[in-house]
Amino acid sequence: SEVMSGELRRFEADGYGWDALHVGGQTTYLQFLSGNRFQWTLNIEDGKSSAWNHYPNAEGIIYHNSTLYFVAKVTRTLFILDLNDMTYTSERTGSSWVGQGAFNSQPDQIIESDLDKRKYIYFTEDGGNAPGVHVRDREGNYYTMVRGVPGGRYSGDETVGIAFSPDRRKFYFGFQDAGVLMEVTRNDGHAFN
């Protein structure tokens, strides 16, 4: 959502199966509380206020094992919500760099890569001098997987559409404004882990 106060909504369907979204349900909104706690509220205004104050311009979101991950572009923050304990943590994207690279601009889309085994989260990047694809490991370290040449053809563009081939030997992403899709393989022929 490009709206600063765009609340994060949760919809719980009343039904099951293929028609579950057509039989009704309840919509609630994420509200952050003190002490790194959160709740799902029926009050949309509380949801909007929480978004405005804590996670403006929320974008990419994934769920894995009772944990919800999403990013806020404006504050360049990754939020990690424990849905069992109703607590959350947050960290600035790119706050713990290992090796080369930098998360130069705003986090955008995110995907996970077999979080049970590898515990990697992949991020696209919106804007910046050299937009790229970045990775966060299970310890909270960030890496640059690939990026445009600083000041080059893709400067100010946005990386989009992260995907892996089924055998994980090919990695795909695109530069949105340029309309260019990239396929990346490893020189050693091994799978991306």
Side-chain angles (χ1 to χ4, degrees):
S1 167
E2 293 295 328
V3 178
M4 291 287 287
S5 61
E7 66 284 352
L8 180 59
R9 298 172 178 224
R10 177 180 71 168
F11 178 75
E12 295 177 282
D14 289 336
Y16 297 95
W18 70 271
D19 201 31
L21 297 178
H22 299 108
V23 296
Q26 183 176 61
T27 300
T28 53
Y29 310 93
L30 178 62
Q31 180 183 22
F32 284 146
L33 307 169
S34 63
N36 283 39
R37 295 175 303 112
F38 70 91
Q39 68 180 3
W40 298 101
T41 178
L42 291 170
N43 186 322
I44 190 171
E45 294 306 318
D46 288 343
K48 286 180 179 180
S49 176
S50 194
W52 179 265
N53 292 316
H54 300 282
Y55 55 93
N57 285 91
E59 285 271 345
I61 187 168
I62 57 172
Y63 168 87
H64 181 76
N65 282 349
S66 299
T67 304
L68 188 70
Y69 302 82
F70 71 95
V71 295
K73 290 175 73 166
V74 171
T75 59
R76 300 179 183 186
T77 304
L78 170 67
F79 290 93
I80 305 167
L81 281 60
D82 183 322
L83 300 175
N84 291 328
D85 294 340
M86 302 297 282
T87 58
Y88 74 93
T89 58
S90 64
E91 62 191 39
R92 297 261 307 167
T93 54
S95 59
S96 177
W97 281 101
V98 175
Q100 300 287 326
F103 212 131
N104 297 311
S105 196
Q106 299 176 326
D108 201 352
Q109 303 168 14
I110 60 176
I111 67 166
E112 56 90 8
S113 175
D114 196 0
L115 283 173
D116 289 322
K117 293 180 183 175
R118 297 179 190 88
K119 305 263 188 222
Y120 292 123
I121 298 175
Y122 295 82
F123 299 81
T124 61
E125 185 174 21
D126 188 352
N129 191 35
V133 175
H134 306 281
V135 183
R136 179 189 183 273
D137 68 17
R138 74 178 84 200
E139 286 81 31
N141 297 310
Y142 287 80
Y143 305 85
T144 296
M145 186 168 182
V146 63
R147 67 183 186 140
V149 174
R153 174 181 179 189
Y154 306 113
S155 181
D157 207 330
E158 177 177 353
T159 51
V160 295
I162 306 169
F164 291 95
S165 63
D167 64 2
R168 301 189 56 79
R169 295 188 188 283
K170 296 178 182 175
F171 169 74
Y172 302 94
F173 74 100
F175 287 101
Q176 182 170 293
D177 295 338
V180 173
L181 296 175
M182 302 283 192
E183 177 184 274
V184 180
T185 57
R186 291 177 45 160
N187 287 339
D188 61 11
H190 291 124
F192 288 97
N193 288 324

